[in-house]
Amino acid sequence: MEEKQGYFEFIWHLAQFKPNCAMIAKTNLARQGFEVFLPLETQTRIARSKFMKETKPFFPGYLFVGTTDKSGRVHSIRSTYGVSQLVQFGTKAVNVPAQLVEELKSRCNSDGVMGQNGAFKKGEKVRVIHGAFASLVGEVERTAPDHRVWLLLDVMGQKTKVSIARSGLQEFG
């Protein structure tokens, strides 16, 4: 079996797929020899008075397409069944940094589903790494399904409850 190349060896593009055609676009691009990355997330919804889990694209409507070809073979990507268009500025297709794709890939399990990396538990100490509260340490009060975390921060001697994006936090200690 052939070993996959590292993600840093690819030139990555962002393709928009047609409505409800994520898997069709992914399959057809892979058949053409492109490396395809479609990060997914599990969502819970209520249907018929029951909680149902479903897997949906993490970036609704978009997937990453990698090629080792310097020309990018963008014409092949654009004309693939299930693909609507490539994200571009003017007439040039946008290259997505390989480091970004690698970071997203590292947060996914083997099925491409984004894990709960960065999921914090109540009472856990975390450090704020971005924004107005950067470098402050707080205690997790609760996490929200929209990737936000409610913290208790010590601001000017008082405990203050704030909501911060999960990506703006790191474990403390």
Side-chain angles (χ1 to χ4, degrees), residues 73-126:
R73 293 184 10 218
V74 292
H75 63 282
S76 297
I77 298 169
R78 285 185 186 117
S79 62
T80 299
Y81 185 70
V83 173
S84 175
Q85 64 184 357
L86 275 175
V87 174
Q88 55 189 36
F89 290 121
T91 59
K92 188 174 189 305
V94 174
N95 288 349
V96 177
Q99 186 174 358
L100 173 67
V101 176
E102 184 69 25
E103 180 65 28
L104 288 169
K105 186 79 172 155
S106 73
R107 294 174 185 253
C108 293
N109 64 18
S110 60
D111 297 325
V113 179
M114 294 291 259
Q116 291 299 314
N117 292 353
F120 301 108
K121 295 178 177 56
K122 183 175 178 162
E124 185 177 356
K125 298 280 187 196
V126 294

Side-chain angles (χ1 to χ4, degrees), residues 31-46:
R31 282 184 188 152
Q32 295 177 60
F34 291 106
E35 182 69 23
V36 182
F37 175 51
L38 175 64
L40 303 168
E41 69 178 333
T42 304
Q43 296 178 346
T44 304
R45 65 180 178 90
I46 298 175

Side-chain angles (χ1 to χ4, degrees), residues 51-82:
F51 288 102
M52 309 273 299
K53 285 191 176 188
E54 60 186 7
T55 305
K56 294 196 170 221
F58 189 75
F59 301 108
Y62 296 92
L63 54 73
F64 297 94
V65 183
T67 179
T68 56
D69 191 353
K70 290 275 188 218
S71 68
R73 293 184 10 218
V74 292
H75 63 282
S76 297
I77 298 169
R78 285 185 186 117
S79 62
T80 299
Y81 185 70

Side-chain angles (χ1 to χ4, degrees), residues 112-171:
V113 179
M114 294 291 259
Q116 291 299 314
N117 292 353
F120 301 108
K121 295 178 177 56
K122 183 175 178 162
E124 185 177 356
K125 298 280 187 196
V126 294
R127 179 185 310 273
V128 180
I129 56 175
H130 298 295
F133 300 111
S135 79
L136 292 180
V137 175
E139 183 179 323
V140 175
E141 179 154 297
R142 69 181 174 93
T143 58
D146 64 352
H147 303 287
R148 299 201 64 81
V149 178
W150 288 93
L151 300 176
L152 288 175
L153 291 176
D154 186 10
V155 179
M156 297 194 306
Q158 288 195 340
K159 292 280 185 184
T160 305
K161 189 174 179 179
V162 296
S163 171
I164 297 178
R166 187 180 300 159
S167 61
L169 302 172
Q170 70 180 26
E171 292 179 14

